[in-house]
Amino acid sequence: MRTIARLSAGEFEHCVKELAELLADAVDDGASLGFVEPFGHEAAAAWWRAQAPAVAAGSQLVWVCRLGGVLAGTVSLIPAAKANARHRAEIVKLMVHRDARGQGLSRALLATAEQAALDSGATLLLLDTETGSTAEHVLPVRRLDPLRHRPRLRRLP
């Protein structure tokens, strides 16, 4: 059974080990997530632990997807903090464990983050991905257009 849930700050702390395993797996499999090899579990755990203050403050929202109780994917949403940019948010660290791919988890996670952004009033979502990657194929399904120019990146008074 698949479940997707947003993590509270406390739940996030308890999931760091699993999130680190997922991140290390994704980087090892060549995902473009901003890390380079060698990149092991300790570095992945340190990166996730560094996100804890943002998660606690609500400036980074993290969802996890579990299959049969096992953490299989995650996505984060970072709402813009500046007053002239509150209409936008960034989707970051969308990843699915290589053993769980092909089951629609990335689309489900992306839809969850997208809905949360819309519910918060964001009308412009940013998502950075590598051209030609497997991840890029999720975008057309979600009707997210490639951003060649950055329209409305900031709101003018």
Side-chain angles (χ1 to χ4, degrees):
M1 180 172 111
R2 174 175 76 190
T3 60
I4 296 177
R6 181 175 161 201
L7 298 178
S8 68
E11 291 166 330
F12 177 82
E13 293 288 339
H14 291 290
C15 287
V16 165
K17 181 180 179 203
E18 291 175 291
L19 288 165
E21 290 169 3
L22 178 63
L23 178 55
D25 173 74
V27 173
D28 181 60
D29 197 41
S32 177
L33 292 166
F35 303 100
V36 295
E37 291 191 271
F39 184 80
H41 186 271
E42 287 304 315
W47 185 85
W48 280 111
R49 280 192 297 274
Q51 308 316 300
V55 173
S59 57
Q60 181 172 345
L61 313 178
V62 180
W63 288 267
V64 294
C65 179
R66 293 186 178 277
L67 289 177
V70 176
L71 196 144
T74 188
V75 67
S76 294
L77 181 71
I78 300 177
K82 295 181 180 178
N84 70 343
R86 297 229 169 102
H87 65 293
R88 73 176 192 245
E90 184 173 6
I91 294 173
V92 298
K93 301 300 183 259
L94 171 60
M95 62 187 105
V96 172
H97 193 280
R98 69 179 105 189
D99 293 340
R101 293 185 191 146
Q103 300 180 54
L105 304 186
S106 61
R107 289 186 181 116
L109 284 161
L110 184 57
T112 299
E114 182 180 30
Q115 188 60 55
L118 292 170
D119 291 348
S120 73
T123 58
L124 176 63
L125 293 178
L126 305 174
L127 185 146
D128 181 21
T129 190
E130 182 181 4
T131 302
S133 71
T134 303
E136 186 181 37
H137 301 292
V138 174
L139 302 181
V141 173
R142 296 298 317 146
R143 297 191 178 126
L144 296 176
D145 296 322
L147 185 62
R148 307 229 189 286
H149 303 283
R150 297 189 170 194
R152 301 176 291 130
L153 212 60
R154 65 185 180 101
R155 185 169 287 159
L156 298 174

